[in-house]
């Protein structure tokens, strides 16, 4: 009976090890195939303003990735976050940043 338990433990260990190796191989391949110049889109929904909003959004404009775009979304032209986004867009003219204003109650995809 102890040899059966030993066999089951060895089988479970080998099965777990093969899974870990497969995950490592996939991660290594994904890392190798990733190119640093691949563009990244950052989507940021906004609604209203809090006291730290401008400082928080500024961190999006200071990304170190070589190619990225910022897409800010608000619902309605009267959202006070629009003024902050526009101010940051003027301060960081080299950053590709857009503001999407959606009028209505249902969100867009």
């Amino acid at each position: 009976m102890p040899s059966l338990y030993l066999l089951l433990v060895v089988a479970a260990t080998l099965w777990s090890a093969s899974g870990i190796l497969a995950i490592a191989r996939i991660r290594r391949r994904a890392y190798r195939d990733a190119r640093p110049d691949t563009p990244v889109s950052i989507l940021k929904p906004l609604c209203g303003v809090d006291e730290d909003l401008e400082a928080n959004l500024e961190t999006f404009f200071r990304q170190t990735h070589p190619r990225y775009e910022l897409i800010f979304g608000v619902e309605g032209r009267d959202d006070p976050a629009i003024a902050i986004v526009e101010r940051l867009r003027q301060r960081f003219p080299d950053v590709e940043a857009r503001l999407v204003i959606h009028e209505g109650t249902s969100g867009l995809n």
Side-chain angles (χ1 to χ4, degrees):
M1 197 57 124
S3 61
L4 178 61
Y5 292 130
L6 180 61
L7 180 63
L8 289 173
V9 168
V10 169
T13 302
L14 290 174
W15 182 261
S16 297
S18 69
I20 291 170
L21 290 174
I23 290 170
R25 191 170 45 246
I26 289 169
R27 290 189 67 186
R28 190 171 43 248
R29 185 180 317 138
Y31 182 76
R32 182 191 68 222
D33 293 344
R35 296 185 2 224
D37 62 337
T38 301
V40 175
S41 296
I42 301 171
L43 310 174
K44 179 63 179 153
L46 299 170
C47 183
V49 174
D50 62 23
E51 63 185 50
D52 295 328
L53 182 62
E54 187 161 355
N56 290 336
L57 294 182
E58 185 175 330
T59 64
F60 287 82
F61 284 84
R62 295 185 181 277
Q63 296 291 318
T64 58
H65 194 280
R67 291 181 57 203
Y68 68 97
E69 68 173 336
L70 303 174
I71 303 172
F72 298 98
V74 296
E75 187 175 305
R77 297 188 184 285
D78 59 341
D79 194 309
I82 293 173
I84 292 174
V85 171
E86 293 299 343
R87 192 164 47 245
L88 288 167
R89 288 175 68 193
Q90 289 176 359
R91 282 187 19 214
F92 297 92
D94 295 335
V95 175
E96 186 178 337
R98 291 189 296 146
L99 177 64
V100 177
I101 301 172
H102 172 64
E103 301 288 349
T105 57
S106 297
L108 294 174
N109 287 329

